[in-house]
Amino acid sequence: MNLVFVRPEEVDTVWAEVAPEFGRVVEKAIHGEFTTEDLYRLARDGRITVGVAREKGEVVMVVAFEFVFYPSATAVNVLAMAGRRLAAFMHRFLPLFRRFCEKAGADWIECQVSPAMERMHHRYGFATVYRSLRMNVKEESC
């Protein structure tokens, strides 16, 4: 398995392969924050980075992340991660990704996940720091 980060000018060459994976994440785990088309546009504009893991030429995992600049810290926020080989992907690439993030000036990696994914991420060294709450403010939902 190899992982490649896609440069903005290369997004069009891989998007047909990675869009279905991101589409499953958007459909199952995203609650209105972004669409697959948003990820495409953000990656093409260089605002997020897309990683593509292949095994024997076939896409097996995709990841999209962004740098978040807080006043006193820098984070790498993982927006979406999908595929069929999550455990192998995490074992092989998480240590390398941590070093990449550190060298790029990040203090931590963060993500918002479901309770099931939270439990799985704990196995790889992630810790629960906050609980994410949301209240819809649109009149029709009140």
Side-chain angles (χ1 to χ4, degrees):
M1 186 183 312
N2 70 322
L3 174 65
V4 173
F5 294 139
V6 181
R7 294 190 314 262
E9 62 271 15
E10 300 169 325
V11 170
D12 286 331
T13 66
V14 300
W15 198 253
E17 291 180 283
V18 302
E21 297 293 342
F22 285 133
R24 283 189 276 285
V25 171
V26 168
E27 181 181 313
K28 293 180 179 180
I30 302 305
H31 303 277
E33 295 88 350
F34 54 83
T35 65
T36 306
E37 293 77 24
D38 292 329
L39 292 176
Y40 167 75
R41 183 179 37 78
L42 293 168
R44 195 190 58 216
D45 293 347
R47 294 181 52 203
I48 67 170
T49 300
V50 169
V52 181
R54 295 180 187 273
E55 197 167 60
K56 298 177 183 169
E58 182 182 351
V59 173
V60 293
M61 287 293 301
V62 295
V63 62
F65 63 91
E66 64 183 343
F67 282 83
V68 178
F69 301 98
Y70 296 107
S72 297
T74 299
V76 171
N77 178 42
V78 177
L79 294 162
M81 186 168 53
R84 298 178 308 281
R85 299 284 316 272
L86 181 61
F89 179 82
M90 294 293 272
H91 282 293
R92 178 164 174 134
F93 297 116
L94 184 57
L96 299 171
F97 188 60
R98 284 181 67 176
R99 284 195 290 282
F100 162 80
C101 292
E102 181 182 21
K103 287 181 179 182
D107 296 290
W108 57 74
I109 301 167
E110 60 187 19
C111 54
Q112 292 194 37
V113 296
S114 68
M117 286 299 286
E118 176 185 21
R119 290 188 296 275
M120 190 278 306
H121 276 54
H122 284 168
R123 287 185 240 157
Y124 300 106
F126 284 83
T128 302
V129 177
Y130 298 109
R131 299 280 180 183
S132 182
L133 304 175
R134 182 177 287 180
M135 175 189 288
N136 194 338
V137 297
K138 293 183 179 181
E139 190 172 322
E140 63 269 9
S141 67
C142 295

